[in-house]
Each structure stands twice: as structure tokens, then as C-alpha cells.
């Protein structure tokens, strides 16, 4: 056992070495045991979904590689595992970067107490946010509920911390009683699905930096406009990397601000700030994932059926842009932001399905499934959230697809059965004249679903239900 101080570095949503404040502090104090604990027990209903587990599996593998095989893995209740580990390994301190999910805050508070009582020093850091949620409050000390004044207040407060480089020397130790990656059982039985979604991504810290670099080179200059067009690669696709902390928002913010000043640059920063705002809301309103932010929606009569929900999940609603989005999600573990808004509006408003059902499906299938961003965004689209789109503003999926996928390139990528139709009919196939369908050999209901609801009457029904609220 080395004579220097020994500490445990507890990796959580910060699976990286660069700009990792807890890691920097831990290595300065001496030798470290880098550990990761898969704690489904405390997560409860918010245990990671299937797609997130696939990402986590690769990300841990990459992190272990960067740590030269020294990452120790565990599975179970961190409240038990961590104090036992600290005692067994003779750790003087435990270091971590803070997380903001309500279940994690509750758990970490207890762990901190247990360790402190056992004379183990605990130090926590901000490794995931540009601004801590408690740092930005209104004049009356209450939290903001509207994005624009929130962001303005953030900008007027302290500058986000500058990223810190990877420590030059990390003296890491491995606990030989730890589990192997396979023992975590992260990969689901459906191998074909895993192979499919993994084919679209490279996980890990290095890949996160490559993605940011590619975006700066190829996407940033058209970001503000291009981010609305799902067939364009004008977005960064950084979300799963940011969620797992393979890259910090501070690193991205800092590098983006070093680029030439432009509307695109500022717009990208404001999108990073929407992520911040989601965390801010989750911190100040911890019931956000479970309860309507606006309680008047508690009495809303959701009129959707199980059958409609299934059709939506499977990308078989007969509305091409919706089906394309849902199939993109299933095939790649990702969905473009504009399309996320369209499918969420269609589910909650045209199909009348409770937003929680949609959020659940996203939780299981998105690689970037994030309790803060997912809950805040679903409530935003459903109309029940903070600073939400008003309920009566219902996206028309046909108009949206004509506007943002004018050549139907995105639709045809994921709904290839419609590719033979002349473009102008692809957006609403149910309006295609019989002879045109016959010419291309498509029968609705056989080759592609007939639309499951009338957009017009379902819209009216949604508005009527809202009126009665
Ligand atoms: C119904 C619905 C559910 C969503 N669920 C999630 C989720 O579980 N996890 C998640 O990370 N994002 C979620 N979003 C937000 C957004 O769609 C994704 O962050 C974005 O599409 C990710 O792609 P990107 O990295 O290419 O984004 P870019 O446009 O390149 O944006 C850069 C980064 O800014 C952040 N960001 C951008 N838009 C938003 C936004 N509206 N809200 C919060 N952060 C944002 C993300 O971290 C993103 O990686 C959801 C949006 C909707 C409408």
C-alpha cells in the first residue's frame, strides 16, 4: 500500500479525463482508485433505459482504456458500496462531480454524511454545468421559470469556468475485487438492435472531441437555420456525449466562443443554455419528470388509446414525418430536434396520449436520454411545462415536413416504402389520388399504414378538451 494519501474518484456523468475538476483535485491529493457504480437500486423508475446502457457499456470501456485498465466497476446500492469500499481500500477521501437528478441528490447527501462520519473527506465539484442552479435566481430569490430572463441572468452572472486540462500524471490503482464490464450486464439480448444503433456512433471522450471538431468545421456556419432541417448535418449530435460527460459543456462553450463571432455561434451557445435551463428546472422543481409543471393539466382528459401509442412507437401511424422520426429513433438511438417536437406534439395532441408515455419511450430508446432535458422538453411540447409552447399551438406534421424536409429526403431515408411516390404526395399519402397510388403500386393499409387519425378532427378534439379544462 503506498504511503501517499489514497482517494476514490467516483465517476458518474463525467466519463472523461479532460476538464474533470474532481479528477484534477483527486490526483493532486495522491493516488486514486477510479470507480464506477451501476446503481439501479437508488435510481428506481429512472434506472437507465436500454439505449443508454448500450452507450454506457462502450463509454466505460473507453474510459478504462484511457486509465490503462485501472477503472474499478461495481453494481448495486452506492450507499452501501462506497463506504465499504472506502474502508476496505483505506481511502482518505472520496471525490466526485455533482449530479442533479433528485434521486442522486438524495443518495449523495446520505453518502456524504456516512463517509464524513467515518472520517473520510468528501469533496464534490461542478463538472456538468456552466452555471450551478442555485447561483442564478430572481431578485426575490425565487427561481426563473422562463428561459430568456434566465439566460440573460446567467450571462450577467459569473463566466462559465474555463476548462481544466487532463492531469499530466494520474497514479491510478485498481481494486482487484471489482467486477468486469460484462458483469454489469449492460447489453440487452437484442443483439441486432445493439449492432444497428452502434453502427451510427463512436462513443467515448475522444469521439466526443472529434464530433465537436467536425461540427465546428462543417455545421456551425449554418447552425441557426440548418438546425431545423433533419436531413442536413448542421447539428452537433453532441447530446449523448454531453449526457455521459464524455465532454463538458464548459469545454464546448469555450471552444465555440473562440470561433469567429456570428449569429450561428451565439445560437449554439443558447442551445447549450437550454440544456442548462432543463437542469435548472429539474433542480428547483424535482417533480418535473413525474408531475405536470402547471397543475391545471392534472385534470386534462387524455383521450389516447394503447393501440395509438403502439403505432406511434413503431413508426406506423401513417403520418410520414412522424413515422420517419420514430424509426430514426429505433434505428439510430437518436432523433433530430425538430422531429422530436413534431412526434411529441402528434402523440400528445393529435393522439391525446399523456406526455409521460412518450417521455418513457424516449427514456428507453434515446442514447441521450436525460432526465432533465427529456422531462422539460416533453412538458414544453405538451403545453404543461414551464415556459411551454401554449397548448393550442399544435404542430401540423404535414406543414412541418413540407417546410423542413421539402424534398422528403429525411422521410424517404426512414420510410423508404414511400420513395416511389411523387414528392408532393409523400407528406400526406392519404391525399394521393387513387390512380397515382396504382401507378407506383402502393396500397395504403398494405404497403404503408393508412393514417390513424384525421389531423383536422383530432386537432379540434384536442382544442375542445383543452377548453373544457
Ligand atoms: C420531446 C423532446 C425530448 C427530448 N429529450 C432529450 C433528451 O432526453 N436528452 C437530450 O439531451 N435532449 C433532449 N431533447 C432536446 C434536443 O432535442 C436534443 O438535445 C438535441 O436534438 C440533441 O441533438 P444535438 O446534440 O445534435 O443538438 P445541437 O442542436 O447540436 O445542440 C447542442 C446541444 O445543446 C443541447 N440542446 C439543444 N437543444 C436542446 C433542447 N431543446 N433542450 C435541452 N438541451 C438542448 C444539447 O445538449 C445538445 O447536444 C428533447 C427534445 C424534445 C422536443
Amino acid at each position: 500500500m503506498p504511503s501517499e494519501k489514497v482517494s476514490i474518484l467516483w465517476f458518474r456523468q463525467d466519463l472523461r479525463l479532460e476538464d474533470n475538476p474532481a479528477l484534477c483535485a483527486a490526483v493532486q491529493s495522491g493516488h486514486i482508485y477510479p470507480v464506477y457504480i451501476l446503481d439501479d437500486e437508488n435510481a428506481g423508475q429512472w434506472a437507465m433505459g436500454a439505449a443508454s446502457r448500450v452507450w454506457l457499456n462502450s463509454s466505460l470501456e473507453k474510459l478504462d482504456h484511457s486509465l490503462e485498465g485501472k477503472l474499478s466497476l461495481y453494481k448495486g446500492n452506492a450507499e452501501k458500496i462506497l463506504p465499504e469500499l472506502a474502508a476496505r481500500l483505506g481511502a482518505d477521501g472520496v471525490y466526485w462531480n455533482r449530479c442533479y437528478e433528485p434521486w442522486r441528490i438524495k443518495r449523495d447527501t446520505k453518502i456524504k454524511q456516512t463517509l464524513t462520519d467515518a472520517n473520510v473527506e468528501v469533496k464534490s465539484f461542478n463538472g456538468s454545468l456552466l452555471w450551478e442552479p442555485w447561483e442564478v435566481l430572481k431578485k426575490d430569490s425565487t427561481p426563473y421559470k422562463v428561459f430568456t430572463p434566465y439566460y440573460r441572468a446567467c450571462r450577467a452572472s459569473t463566466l462559465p469556468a474555463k476548462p481544466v486540462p487532463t492531469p499530466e500524471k494520474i497514479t491510478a490503482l485498481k481494486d482487484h475485487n471489482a467486477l468486469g464490464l460484462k458483469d454489469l450486464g449492460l447489453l440487452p439480448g437484442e443483439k441486432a438492435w445493439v449492432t444497428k444503433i452502434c453502427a451510427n456512433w463512436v462513443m467515448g471522450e475522444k469521439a466526443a472531441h472529434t464530433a465537436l471538431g467536425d461540427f465546428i468545421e462543417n455545421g456551425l456556419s449554418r447552425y441557426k437555420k440548418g438546425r431545423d432541417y433533419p436531413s442536413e448535418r448542421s447539428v452537433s449530435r453532441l447530446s449523448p456525449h454531453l449526457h455521459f460527460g464524455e465532454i463538458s459543456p464548459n469545454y464546448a462553450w469555450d471552444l465555440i466562443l473562440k470561433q469567429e463571432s456570428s449569429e450561428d455561434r451565439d445560437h449554439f451557445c443558447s442551445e447549450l443554455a437550454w440544456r442548462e435551463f432543463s437542469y435548472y428546472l429539474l433542480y428547483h422543481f424535482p417533480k418535473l419528470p413525474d408531475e405536470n409543471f402547471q397543475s391545471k393539466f392534472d385534470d386534462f382528459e387524455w383521450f389516447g388509446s394503447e393501440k395509438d401509442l403502439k403505432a406511434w412507437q413503431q413508426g406506423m401511424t401513417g403520418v410520414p414525418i412522424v413515422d420517419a422520426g420514430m424509426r430514426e429513433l429505433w434505428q439510430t438511438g437518436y432523433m433530430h430536434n425538430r422531429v422530436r417536437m413534431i412526434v411529441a406534439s402528434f402523440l400528445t395532441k393529435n393522439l391525446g396520449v399523456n406526455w409521460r408515455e412518450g417521455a418513457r419511450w424516449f427514456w428507453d430508446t434515446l442514447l441521450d436520454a436525460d432526465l432533465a432535458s427529456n422531462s422539460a422538453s416533453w412538458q414544453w411540447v405538451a403545453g404543461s411545462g414551464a415556459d411551454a409552447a401554449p397548448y393550442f399551438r399544435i404542430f401540423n406534421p404535414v406543414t412541418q415536413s413540407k417546410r423542413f424536409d421539402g424534398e422528403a429526403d429525411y422521410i424517404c431515408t426512414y420510410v423508404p416504402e414511400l420513395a416511389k411516390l411523387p414528392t408532393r404526395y409523400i407528406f400526406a399519402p392519404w391525399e394521393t389520388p387513387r390512380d397515382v397510388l396504382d401507378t407506383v403500386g402502393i396500397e395504403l393499409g398494405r404497403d404503408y399504414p393508412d393514417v390513424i387519425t384525421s389531423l383536422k378532427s383530432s386537432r379540434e378534439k384536442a382544442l375542445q378538451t383543452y377548453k373544457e379544462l
Side-chain angles (χ1 to χ4, degrees):
M1 187 56 64
S3 57
E4 259 194 85
K5 271 194 165 186
V6 171
S7 51
I8 291 175
L9 172 70
W10 184 17
F11 279 106
R12 296 116 64 84
Q13 297 300 109
D14 51 350
L15 305 180
R16 64 175 187 274
L17 303 187
E18 175 128 19
D19 192 29
N20 188 325
L23 171 70
C24 287
V27 295
Q28 270 169 23
S29 77
H31 297 272
I32 62 161
Y33 280 97
V35 310
Y36 182 87
I37 304 168
L38 180 67
D39 184 356
D40 289 337
E41 223 170 282
N42 278 299
Q45 61 160 328
W46 297 116
M48 257 176 267
S52 302
R53 283 167 193 266
V54 171
W55 190 286
L56 177 66
N57 191 69
S58 284
S59 196
L60 289 175
E61 196 177 13
K62 299 278 169 65
L63 181 64
D64 185 42
H65 187 73
S66 308
L67 290 164
E68 299 173 345
K70 296 287 172 25
L71 182 63
S72 297
L73 302 173
Y74 309 88
K75 187 177 181 175
N77 187 341
E79 277 175 42
K80 272 187 72 193
I81 293 176
L82 211 52
E84 279 173 15
L85 208 54
R88 184 162 60 77
L89 302 176
D92 302 289
V94 178
Y95 293 70
W96 67 68
N97 289 312
R98 287 187 279 278
C99 291
Y100 304 86
E101 290 80 0
W103 68 268
R104 281 194 165 116
I105 293 180
K106 201 168 139 205
R107 177 197 64 181
D108 296 352
T109 309
K110 282 197 209 154
I111 294 177
K112 187 171 178 179
Q113 190 59 54
T114 314
L115 289 169
T116 311
D117 290 348
N119 281 327
V120 179
E121 188 184 28
V122 175
K123 284 195 173 172
S124 70
F125 300 82
N126 175 7
S128 310
L129 293 179
L130 299 165
W131 295 279
E132 291 280 22
W134 51 86
E135 282 173 357
V136 183
L137 293 171
K138 290 196 287 188
K139 280 207 179 91
D140 63 3
S141 300
T142 61
Y144 288 94
K145 292 182 183 169
V146 178
F147 174 75
T148 308
Y150 159 77
Y151 187 37
R152 205 180 299 126
C154 288
R155 302 295 302 262
S157 74
T158 50
L159 288 175
K162 281 270 176 200
V164 288
T166 306
E168 271 173 28
K169 189 161 175 265
I170 301 174
T171 319
L173 305 167
K174 168 121 184 175
D175 170 19
H176 292 287
N177 293 326
L179 300 174
L181 184 57
K182 276 206 176 124
D183 302 323
L184 297 188
L186 290 167
L187 295 182
E190 272 183 77
K191 292 215 169 60
W193 176 66
V194 174
T195 311
K196 206 169 212 177
I197 57 173
C198 286
N200 290 279
W201 298 91
V202 185
M203 290 81 169
E205 180 170 7
K206 195 165 159 233
H209 284 259
T210 307
L212 179 60
D214 278 355
F215 169 68
I216 290 174
E217 208 162 296
N218 305 311
L220 182 60
S221 64
R222 214 188 111 69
Y223 180 71
K224 191 170 181 214
K225 275 221 168 81
R227 65 183 287 275
D228 272 325
Y229 296 83
S231 66
E232 276 190 31
R233 285 298 287 259
S234 298
V235 290
S236 70
R237 292 168 72 95
L238 271 180
S239 50
H241 298 291
L242 281 166
H243 171 74
F244 285 96
E246 295 173 349
I247 192 165
S248 71
N250 298 61
Y251 186 93
W253 176 272
D254 187 62
L255 193 60
I256 291 289
L257 282 184
K258 284 183 181 145
Q259 311 306 310
E260 205 181 316
S261 165
S262 69
E263 277 195 328
D264 298 290
R265 190 189 75 164
D266 295 345
H267 201 88
F268 186 78
C269 287
S270 75
E271 291 305 327
L272 285 178
W274 271 101
R275 174 181 176 275
E276 295 285 311
F277 187 51
S278 304
Y279 274 86
Y280 181 85
L281 290 175
L282 182 63
Y283 177 80
H284 289 290
F285 307 98
K287 292 188 175 148
L288 188 73
D290 305 297
E291 292 180 11
N292 293 307
F293 188 86
Q294 297 179 39
S295 56
K296 71 172 178 191
F297 276 85
D298 293 352
D299 295 327
F300 190 82
E301 301 250 350
W302 299 100
F303 51 85
S305 71
E306 190 63 30
K307 197 164 150 240
D308 289 345
L309 173 63
K310 276 254 138 50
W312 177 82
Q313 290 171 339
Q314 291 168 352
M316 296 294 276
T317 67
V319 181
I321 188 74
V322 173
D323 293 342
M326 297 310 293
R327 294 182 197 185
E328 179 185 25
L329 175 60
W330 185 249
Q331 289 170 30
T332 70
Y334 175 88
M335 193 192 303
H336 186 276
N337 179 61
R338 166 69 41 190
V339 191
R340 289 187 204 204
M341 293 194 289
I342 297 170
V343 303
S345 168
F346 182 75
L347 182 75
T348 53
K349 296 178 180 172
N350 297 98
L351 297 182
V353 174
N354 194 321
W355 61 266
R356 292 174 188 84
E357 299 285 354
R360 269 272 148 216
W361 183 252
F362 271 28
W363 183 255
D364 205 30
T365 52
L366 272 176
L367 289 165
D368 65 23
D370 182 281
L371 197 60
S373 296
N374 199 40
S375 313
S377 301
W378 271 96
Q379 293 228 39
W380 185 87
V381 178
S384 62
D387 196 10
Y391 182 85
F392 50 81
R393 204 169 291 156
I394 299 179
F395 278 68
N396 179 321
V398 174
T399 318
Q400 287 281 315
S401 54
K402 284 182 180 165
R403 189 157 162 215
F404 297 113
D405 189 31
E407 297 301 316
D409 291 330
Y410 174 77
I411 291 179
C412 290
T413 305
Y414 295 102
V415 190
E417 59 267 43
L418 294 179
K420 284 184 284 178
L421 273 182
T423 307
R424 68 178 190 280
Y425 295 120
I426 290 180
F427 310 103
W430 59 89
E431 288 173 357
T432 313
R434 178 87 251 160
D435 59 321
V436 178
L437 287 171
D438 287 346
T439 312
V440 294
I442 292 179
E443 192 181 318
L444 295 180
R446 182 192 68 189
D447 304 305
Y448 180 68
D450 213 345
V451 61
I452 61 170
T453 187
S454 146
L455 295 182
K456 189 165 178 279
S457 52
S458 61
R459 182 177 188 280
E460 280 160 11
K461 183 166 182 183
L463 290 177
Q464 187 54 35
T465 315
Y466 180 65
K467 230 174 168 182
E468 284 160 14
L469 191 61

